[in-house]
């Protein structure tokens, strides 16, 4: 799936701004004809979650309705016109000029509709109904009934099956874009460390495909009438965190009258593979140092907030990190563009967090997970920064159905992208049967926090032993994808005790010392980069998870300084 762009043949128009908004707590909108106009409304900023924009309604999860009007830019009558949503959480239904044009389930991934036949030159009315209820047969699930088999159920409020606030609304940009009637549909780029760049271009219409690749002293071109196109870059400037070299690639379609469509994208030449216990980037072992994170900021909620992205990269670099996981859903496309430019290694994760495997709703959850795997890979396959797909975070895999569920998703991911390792992130450890076929073992651990509370010696000894046991059972690279402790900024204790900055810093440093001793550990991701908003629960003071090494407004705690020493940000 290509991100819309503007050039001689294509054009993008961003509908971000203040839209009209209306809550619909009684669910009257459909009966009262709101698809044709909302009547009385209140202004709302798009994109941004709705929950923190108003004085009330923080916990209201929908339905709610959005409305905006637009005219077509000049010259678009000759084009195909699409409407593209970057992310709407959770269920979106869309009407244009009173006509229902489609719906999409699941946040954090883009969807689009062709509107060529129903868009007017002037006075278009766009209406979006959004609904974010938490339900056991949605992914991620919510309102999950207690399960005697694995002591799991939703206990917090709102009743999520995950530990972050279920922000709702139009959270990423809504774009209107135009492309030629015949043109480039999709591009897939696969690179080799020897400098091969292999391209698949999907296009409609009779055309020659011309590809040019420029940068780092190279200026190459190739043409083909279909199928794959191969380029070979002599002495390639490879992409890596230390040298995030990108080439400019342009794909053009040429017909009888000349060039009729063009698309440009940055290309990083690199390989990623698992070999024994190692994770190899361009044939060399790498160790991921970084974080789990959230798209989370006061007032914006989970809304796209460009300065926060820049800040978070600056903070990660300051600490000496080279990597992050898109916990627990795919991040904005802009976040990945920046990872390509700034040299970060990304584990790209689907929104499948908190899955459970009771019969009821299972088939539906699997269908949704398949959809997310497809959508994520279609969106992110061309990013050199993305080095691994994560199918899920902390599934409650106690029932036998879990293994077949993940085998299905693993095979799907591999069939769509044979070039990247596939994993899932587990808290079960030895009991996670999907580790039998996953390429990399990813584990979250909180010994010395949720267990062995206040007893770091005991917690660290357990971690040490468990990592070895896990590696013995599943001999492949292992990443500790989460570890950390809550710390109230400004709270100090000597000797360290839980919730003090000292305890958090010491726990993280002691974990890292253990990880550094084990050659099969190829990654250390601290939970979390920043404090973030959660639902309400006794263990979430102020409805915040305080495991950030930075506060929610991005100020360093002691642990950030300690990490900077350990990871060489100094
Ligand atoms: C892990 C989850 C993560 C939580 C974290 C915590 O993967 O989403 O926020 O625990 O409790 O189990 O802080």
């Amino acid at each position: 799936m290509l991100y819309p762009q503007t050039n001689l043949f294509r054009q993008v128009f961003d509908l971000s701004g203040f839209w009209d908004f209306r809550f619909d707590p009684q669910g009257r909108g459909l009966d009262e004809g709101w698809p044709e106009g909302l009547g009385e409304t209140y202004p709302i900023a798009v994109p941004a979650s709705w929950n923190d924009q108003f004085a009330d309604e923080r916990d209201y999860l929908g339905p709610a309705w959005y409305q905006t009007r637009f005219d077509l830019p000049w010259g678009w009558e000759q084009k195909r016109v699409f409407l593209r949503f970057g992310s709407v959480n959770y269920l979106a239904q869309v009407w244009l000029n009173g006509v229902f044009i489609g719906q999409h389930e699941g946040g954090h991934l883009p969807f689009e509709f062709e509107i060529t036949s129903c868009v007017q030159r002037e006075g278009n009315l766009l209406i979006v109904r959004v609904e974010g209820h938490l339900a056991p047969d949605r992914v991620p699930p919510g309102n999950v009934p207690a399960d005697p088999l694995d002591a799991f159920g939703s206990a917090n409020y709102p009743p999520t099956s995950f530990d972050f606030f279920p922000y709702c609304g139009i959270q990423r940009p809504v774009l209107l874009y135009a492309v030629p009637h015949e043109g480039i549909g999709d591009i897939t780029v696969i690179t080799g460390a020897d400098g091969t760049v292999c391209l698949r271009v999907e296009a409609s219409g009779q055309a020659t495909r011309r590809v040019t690749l420029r940068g780092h002293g190279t200026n190459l071109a190739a043409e083909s009438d279909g199928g794959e196109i191969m380029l070979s870059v002599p002495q390639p400037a490879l992409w890596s965190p230390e040298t995030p070299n990108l080439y400019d690639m342009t794909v053009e379609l040429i017909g009888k009258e000349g060039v009729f469509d063009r698309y440009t994208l940055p290309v990083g030449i690199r390989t990623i593979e698992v070999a024994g216990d190692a994770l190899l980037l361009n044939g060399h072992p790498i160790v991921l140092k970084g974080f789990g994170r959230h798209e989370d900021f006061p007032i914006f909620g989970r809304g796209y907030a460009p300065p926060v992205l820049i800040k978070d990269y600056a903070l990660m670099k300051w600490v000496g990190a080279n990597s992050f996981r898109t916990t627990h859903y795919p991040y904005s496309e802009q976040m990945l563009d920046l990872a390509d430019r700034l040299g970060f290694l990304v584990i790209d994760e689907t929104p499948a967090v908190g899955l459970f495997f009771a019969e009821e709703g299972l088939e539906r959850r699997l269908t949704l997970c398949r959809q997310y795997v497809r959508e994520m890979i279609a969106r992110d396959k061309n990013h050199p920064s993305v080095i691994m797909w994560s199918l899920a975070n902390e599934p409650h895999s106690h029932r036998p159905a879990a293994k077949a569920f993940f085998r299905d998703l693993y095979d799907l991911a591999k069939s769509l992208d044979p070039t990247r390792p596939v994993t899932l992130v587990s808290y079960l450890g030895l009991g996670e049967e999907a580790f039998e076929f996953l390429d990399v073992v990813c584990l979250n651990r909180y010994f010395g926090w949720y267990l062995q509370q206040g007893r770091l010696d005991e917690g660290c000894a357990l971690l040490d032993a468990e990592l070895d046991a896990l590696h013995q059972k599943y001999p492949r690279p292992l990443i500790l994808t989460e570890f950390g402790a809550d710390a109230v900024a400004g709270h100090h204790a000597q000797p360290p005790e839980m919730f003090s900055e000292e305890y958090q810093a010491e726990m993280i440093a002691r974990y890292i010392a253990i990880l550094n001793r084990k050659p099969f550990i190829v990654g250390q991701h601290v939970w979390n980069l920043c404090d973030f908003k959660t639902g309400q629960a006794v263990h979430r003071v102020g409805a915040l998870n305080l495991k950030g090494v930075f506060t929610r407004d991005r100020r360093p705690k002691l642990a950030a300084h300690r990490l900077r020493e350990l990871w060489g940000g100094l």
Side-chain angles (χ1 to χ4, degrees):
M1 181 188 219
L2 298 177
Y3 195 81
Q5 63 180 218
T6 297
N7 59 31
L8 219 51
F9 309 96
R10 302 174 159 243
Q11 203 177 352
V12 191
F13 187 72
D14 191 340
L15 294 179
S16 300
F18 296 110
W19 290 33
D20 306 325
F21 184 72
R22 189 166 181 181
F23 288 117
D24 184 13
Q26 279 98 35
R28 292 172 9 220
L30 285 173
D31 290 341
E32 293 186 1
W34 293 8
E36 272 147 49
L38 296 190
E40 208 178 311
T41 59
Y42 199 81
I44 190 168
V46 170
S49 309
W50 72 55
N51 311 76
D52 286 343
Q53 289 195 52
F54 306 108
D56 301 312
E57 315 293 355
R58 183 196 55 226
D59 300 329
Y60 180 79
L61 304 183
W65 296 69
Y66 291 77
Q67 152 181 298
T68 193
R69 291 170 202 278
F70 64 88
D71 295 341
L72 276 197
W74 184 78
W76 281 29
E77 313 82 61
Q78 322 299 335
K79 304 280 188 190
R80 290 177 72 184
V81 182
F82 290 80
L83 187 61
R84 183 190 203 267
F85 294 81
S87 162
V88 180
N89 199 41
Y90 169 86
L91 184 73
Q93 294 169 294
V94 185
W95 290 263
L96 184 65
N97 302 324
V99 178
F100 180 67
I101 56 171
Q103 68 172 40
H104 181 265
E105 181 165 355
H108 322 290
L109 285 160
F111 56 94
E112 59 183 28
F113 307 108
E114 177 160 9
I115 55 169
T116 316
S117 61
C118 57
V119 73
Q120 300 161 185
R121 290 193 65 172
E122 288 182 309
N124 290 286
L125 176 67
L126 174 61
I127 306 262
V128 187
R129 179 182 184 271
V130 184
E131 191 261 283
H133 286 307
L134 298 163
D137 64 348
R138 290 185 164 182
V139 177
N143 267 309
V144 177
D147 183 346
L149 210 67
D150 61 10
F152 165 68
S154 302
N156 44 333
Y157 181 75
T160 55
S161 71
F162 45 87
D163 181 37
F164 51 90
F165 193 83
Y167 279 114
C168 293
I170 301 179
Q171 307 194 128
R172 293 185 193 146
V174 183
L175 304 178
L176 198 61
Y177 73 92
V179 296
H181 276 274
E182 312 250 275
I184 300 165
D186 196 16
I187 300 172
T188 308
V189 185
I190 295 174
T191 62
D194 60 352
T196 19
V197 177
C198 177
L199 239 91
R200 230 177 19 246
V201 180
E202 283 167 32
S204 58
Q206 282 293 316
T208 299
R209 293 132 165 88
R210 180 167 65 200
V211 181
T212 54
L213 192 73
R214 292 197 185 88
H216 309 284
T218 290
N219 192 346
L220 292 173
E223 287 191 0
S224 137
D225 289 331
E228 285 188 348
I229 307 173
M230 290 281 269
L231 293 166
S232 185
V233 182
Q235 293 164 332
L238 298 180
W239 185 95
S240 73
E242 296 75 32
T243 55
N245 297 315
L246 294 172
Y247 289 83
D248 293 320
M249 167 172 281
T250 302
V251 177
E252 288 174 317
L253 296 185
I254 309 168
K256 286 196 198 77
E257 327 254 282
V259 176
F260 65 90
D261 194 13
R262 175 180 299 150
Y263 193 88
T264 54
L265 80 161
V267 168
I269 302 178
R270 61 112 184 90
T271 58
I272 183 78
E273 69 195 290
V274 168
D277 282 351
L279 187 60
L280 305 181
L281 182 78
N282 302 326
H284 304 293
I286 43 164
V287 177
L288 315 186
K289 293 177 182 173
F291 298 92
R293 191 184 154 268
H294 269 295
E295 289 184 327
D296 173 273
F297 203 71
I299 304 173
F300 298 74
R302 215 165 303 298
Y304 173 56
V308 180
L309 305 195
I310 298 295
K311 180 77 175 181
D312 282 0
Y313 276 115
L315 296 180
M316 287 193 282
K317 284 224 174 237
W318 182 82
V319 162
N322 64 7
S323 173
F324 61 88
R325 174 168 60 114
T326 69
T327 51
H328 296 305
Y329 38 79
Y331 293 168
S332 66
E333 288 148 295
Q334 290 79 2
M335 186 75 186
L336 295 182
D337 291 343
L338 289 168
D340 294 342
R341 282 179 66 179
L342 298 173
F344 276 79
L345 303 161
V346 180
I347 301 177
D348 203 357
E349 184 162 280
T350 76
V353 51
L355 285 175
F356 66 107
F357 299 89
E359 247 339 283
E360 206 170 339
L362 188 62
E363 194 55 43
R364 199 161 181 281
R365 290 193 293 277
L366 180 58
T367 304
L368 279 165
C369 286
R370 285 191 189 128
Q371 175 198 318
Y372 297 157
V373 167
R374 276 196 207 96
E375 290 176 347
M376 177 176 74
I377 294 180
R379 194 193 75 159
D380 296 341
K381 63 186 172 184
N382 290 329
H383 287 284
S385 57
V386 174
I387 55 156
M388 203 179 298
W389 307 115
S390 165
L391 302 174
N393 180 68
E394 297 201 348
H396 301 275
S397 305
H398 303 82
R399 293 176 188 256
K403 191 176 175 186
F405 190 101
F406 288 119
R407 182 80 227 193
D408 182 293
L409 295 180
Y410 175 86
D411 291 343
L412 175 63
K414 283 289 183 189
S415 71
L416 295 168
D417 177 13
T419 72
R420 288 177 177 89
V422 176
T423 189
L424 76 72
V425 173
S426 168
Y427 71 91
L428 282 187
L430 289 168
E432 186 68 68
E433 294 186 14
F435 282 153
E436 282 171 26
F437 50 82
L438 293 167
D439 301 319
V440 175
V441 170
C442 287
L443 181 74
N444 294 347
R445 272 297 167 258
Y446 292 93
F447 297 146
W449 186 255
Y450 291 118
L451 301 169
Q452 301 81 44
Q453 303 182 3
R455 304 193 300 281
L456 279 182
D457 287 344
E458 259 176 66
C460 287
L462 277 170
L463 176 76
D464 202 337
E466 190 193 17
L467 291 173
D468 290 339
L470 199 53
H471 181 245
Q472 200 167 15
K473 184 163 180 193
Y474 303 109
R476 57 201 67 147
L478 196 157
I479 301 173
L480 198 65
T481 27
E482 284 183 29
F483 58 101
D486 289 66
V488 178
H491 179 61
H492 296 282
Q494 171 54 37
E497 66 185 3
M498 293 177 77
F499 289 99
S500 67
E501 292 195 28
E502 284 78 5
Y503 193 90
Q504 181 191 40
E506 180 160 339
M507 180 166 163
I508 288 173
R510 290 180 64 172
Y511 266 57
I512 287 178
I514 295 169
L515 304 178
N516 284 344
R517 286 202 299 273
K518 301 188 190 297
F520 58 87
I521 305 278
V522 300
Q524 29 188 271
H525 278 178
V526 169
W527 189 254
N528 189 283
L529 180 68
C530 301
D531 294 345
F532 61 90
K533 180 146 185 63
T534 65
Q536 298 170 63
V538 280
H539 60 296
R540 292 287 169 256
V541 180
L544 290 171
N545 184 312
L546 298 174
K547 292 196 186 66
V549 302
F550 294 90
T551 59
R552 201 178 184 209
D553 62 352
R554 275 58 182 169
R555 294 165 198 274
K557 301 181 192 172
L558 188 61
H561 293 280
R562 185 68 60 81
L563 273 175
R564 191 162 186 242
E565 289 158 20
L566 293 170
W567 283 347
L570 278 179

